[in-house]
Amino acid sequence: MAAVWQQVLAVDARYNAYRTPTFPQFRTQYIRRRSQLLRENAKCGFEPGLRRQYLRLRSQLLALRYGPLSEQSSFRASSVRSSRTTLDRMEDFEEDPRAQGARGHRRSVSRGSYQLQAQMNRAVYDERPPGSLVPTSVAEASRAMAGDTTLIPRLQFANDDKHLLACCSLDGTLSIMTLSPPPPTVKVTLKGHAGPVTDFAWSLSNDIIVSTSKDGTLRIWNTEDGRCIREVLDPEGSELLCCTFQPMNNNLTVVGNSKHHLQVVNISTGKKVKGGSSKLTGRVLSLSFDAPGRILWAGDDRGSIFSFLFDMATGKLTKAKRLVVNEGSSVCSISARSWISREARDPSLLINACVNKLLLYRVVDNEGTLQLKRSFPIQHGSQALHSIFCPLMSFRQGACVVTGSEDACVYFFDVERNTKAIVNKLQGHSGPVLDVSFNCDESLLASSDATGMVIVWRREQK
């Protein structure tokens, strides 16, 4: 667990974008000075209980001043309620659209995006690029088999958790693994889908996972005991291929199906949200919200990416823009980032689209219009590969992204380098690398491949 002073600084950094919004230089100086003072005070040997009490009070005061935040990549606010409470108490949008703002994970204040955490990174994280990763040794059980030789299409670390990892497989199950203490062990297996699991997502508080399957169901799981809380049938009886939580309201999940439809679902009732549906040109394969949850991007198997405006008051989707990446190609992965670095302030999308390239797009307006910034060569012609932005990168030298590849390697690219953009290439898989996931502090990277292997890579200590 991080030192208390680091947790205090993380809380301050989450709210830093709300301080003197017209004077960003002051915010940078403020968080640097806070880091210096907290480091010095940590050496004075104050009683641990007193320091933890200060952390609680500081969190409460900032939440009262600015409103509770729910950034996935920072320390969890004590004011965020669990998703299970949300399931028990949240009412349907269709029944009472006015019941916004006070329940579950809803909040009225716009999230300050990754800029909040970026200012923390400069203070508490070293400047090395995240390419210095090595597989932990066999003696430490670095490789965790999930489903033996069953293909592992998706895996993801839990929010704000260094050692909790989930993956889904085509045998219809999901596995939640804990990586510490070694060796990795399966904490719980989620069983119930009658067909291959295609996608899943953690709730903000990690107590719920939603999953989609080719059996035509969306399932909501209790991550502690593996119990299926609710099963939602696709009204068209089609395969469900992808899902994502609405970041500002984890009571809402967006799902995409094989009949080209996109649908917002209220997971507390299992009902579709009125006005929360739309149709794409092909099978919906990938979804991603921007940080505030106002824009949703969806990719299909015809090579198109659509942007939708999300109405926070009603859950309604309004189609905004369409971009054809490559006619007939599958857009199998979309990852949104509010901004990358000091030199790249524009919001960005990272795209895998079966064109033997990893694509980085700039978001140029409030309707989600995309403009290609640059591309990086990888082997990607047919498999459903995924990529990610590194979680901690906004203030260190360079800005890295990570992707799987069909040549069985994991690639790191620095998106700000004009030449020699490859930072590192990790080798160890025996099949196409389908998905990659960093934990919250980049100390571990997990990657899965088409043979059913999950490799956990440890950040090399220097």
Side-chain angles (χ1 to χ4, degrees):
M1 184 176 179
V4 175
W5 75 267
Q6 290 178 320
Q7 297 180 53
V8 174
L9 185 60
V11 170
D12 273 18
R14 295 181 66 211
Y15 291 91
N16 203 35
Y18 294 101
R19 297 185 180 98
T20 59
T22 57
F23 298 99
Q25 185 62 31
F26 171 81
R27 296 199 302 268
T28 301
Q29 293 174 350
Y30 174 88
I31 209 67
R32 287 180 181 174
R33 182 57 176 158
R34 283 289 287 167
S35 174
Q36 180 185 6
L37 292 173
L38 287 166
R39 284 174 185 266
E40 293 173 356
N41 287 337
K43 299 175 183 178
C44 296
F46 291 114
E47 198 275 320
L50 184 64
R51 295 167 65 198
R52 286 191 289 270
Q53 184 180 7
Y54 172 78
L55 172 61
R56 288 193 296 270
L57 291 173
R58 181 72 174 171
S59 301
Q60 293 170 4
L61 288 172
L62 288 171
L64 288 172
R65 173 66 178 82
Y66 299 108
L69 297 179
S70 54
E71 179 63 68
Q72 292 186 359
S73 298
S74 55
F75 289 91
R76 211 173 301 156
S78 60
S79 59
V80 176
R81 301 179 183 177
S82 73
S83 301
R84 284 198 296 272
T85 302
T86 305
L87 281 173
D88 293 336
R89 300 184 58 186
M90 192 67 73
E91 297 176 5
D92 193 357
F93 264 102
E94 299 177 41
E95 296 170 359
D96 187 4
R98 297 169 298 175
Q100 307 292 320
R103 298 173 177 172
H105 296 308
R106 302 182 183 187
R107 51 183 286 266
S108 58
V109 181
S110 173
R111 184 165 57 179
S113 78
Y114 286 86
Q115 185 174 357
L116 298 171
Q117 189 186 356
Q119 289 153 337
M120 175 189 70
N121 300 343
R122 177 66 178 264
V124 304
Y125 200 75
D126 64 55
E127 296 292 324
R128 283 177 291 138
S132 52
L133 288 155
V134 295
T136 52
S137 68
V138 176
E140 293 176 300
S142 65
R143 301 185 177 192
M145 295 300 294
D148 296 324
T149 58
T150 302
L151 184 144
I152 308 292
R154 300 305 311 272
L155 82 171
Q156 185 182 355
F157 276 98
N159 299 307
D160 306 330
D161 194 299
K162 295 182 181 180
H163 302 116
L164 200 60
L165 175 70
C167 62
C168 64
S169 66
L170 298 190
D171 66 0
T173 65
L174 298 96
S175 300
I176 300 176
M177 295 176 285
T178 179
L179 306 181
S180 180
T185 57
V186 176
K187 176 185 175 183
V188 65
T189 301
L190 312 180
K191 297 180 179 179
H193 279 298
V197 181
T198 53
D199 198 8
F200 72 93
W202 290 91
S203 68
L204 180 65
S205 51
N206 296 327
D207 57 343
I208 279 178
I209 279 179
V210 296
S211 62
T212 53
S213 170
K214 290 186 177 182
D215 66 5
T217 66
L218 170 76
R219 284 181 177 259
I220 300 107
W221 307 89
N222 181 322
T223 59
E224 287 299 316
D225 57 18
R227 177 173 51 91
C228 180
I229 301 173
R230 179 167 287 111
E231 178 184 14
V232 181
L233 297 175
D234 182 76
E236 298 180 291
S238 60
E239 298 176 342
L240 295 182
L241 305 178
C242 55
C243 61
T244 188
F245 275 110
Q246 212 290 334
M248 292 295 98
N249 178 9
N250 276 189
N251 190 55
L252 298 180
T253 297
V254 183
V255 296
N257 71 17
S258 62
K259 292 187 177 179
H260 310 182
H261 282 103
L262 197 66
Q263 181 63 56
V264 181
V265 176
N266 185 315
I267 64 173
S268 69
T269 63
K271 297 180 180 179
K272 297 190 301 181
V273 172
K274 186 177 181 179
S277 61
S278 188
K279 189 171 185 178
L280 277 61
T281 55
R283 292 154 44 98
V284 186
L285 302 180
S286 52
L287 299 167
S288 184
F289 274 100
D290 67 347
R294 297 191 183 95
I295 302 176
L296 171 71
W297 289 275
D300 64 25
D301 65 350
R302 301 286 181 87
S304 294
I305 299 176
F306 290 83
S307 66
F308 297 87
L309 304 182
F310 187 91
D311 190 318
M312 302 295 288
T314 63
K316 181 181 178 181
L317 290 176
T318 302
K319 189 178 292 186
K321 300 293 183 178
R322 178 193 177 194
L323 169 72
V324 179
V325 177
N326 189 59
E327 193 71 41
S329 296
S330 292
V331 180
C332 49
S333 175
I334 302 177
S335 180
R337 179 84 185 213
S338 294
W339 60 287
I340 299 176
S341 69
R342 288 168 291 181
E343 294 75 25
R345 297 283 179 145
D346 293 326
S348 300
L349 285 191
L350 196 60
I351 305 293
N352 293 91
C354 299
V355 291
N356 288 315
K357 294 177 183 179
L358 177 65
L359 305 173
L360 180 69
Y361 284 88
R362 179 185 293 112
V363 182
V364 298
D365 59 27
N366 292 329
E367 291 190 338
T369 303
L370 302 177
Q371 181 182 80
L372 183 64
K373 179 176 180 179
R374 64 179 306 182
S375 61
F376 308 93
I378 60 172
Q379 288 189 25
H380 186 195
S382 61
Q383 298 279 352
L385 306 187
H386 298 85
S387 57
I388 54 170
F389 290 96
C390 292
L392 307 180
M393 66 181 181
S394 300
F395 267 88
R396 64 162 169 245
Q397 188 68 34
C400 291
V401 296
V402 185
T403 183
S405 177
E406 290 177 357
D407 63 359
C409 297
V410 177
Y411 287 91
F412 290 70
F413 295 101
D414 187 334
V415 301
E416 295 302 305
R417 285 190 185 181
N418 293 324
T419 60
K420 298 181 179 179
I422 296 180
V423 174
N424 198 7
K425 181 172 75 171
L426 306 181
Q427 297 174 303
H429 284 281
S430 57
V433 180
L434 303 179
D435 202 4
V436 287
S437 179
F438 260 120
N439 67 352
C440 58
D441 68 352
E442 287 185 5
S443 60
L444 297 175
L445 173 76
S447 54
S448 63
D449 66 30
T451 71
M453 177 72 75
V454 174
I455 299 182
V456 179
W457 309 81
R458 171 175 47 83
R459 195 169 192 269
E460 194 174 27
Q461 301 298 316
K462 294 184 178 180

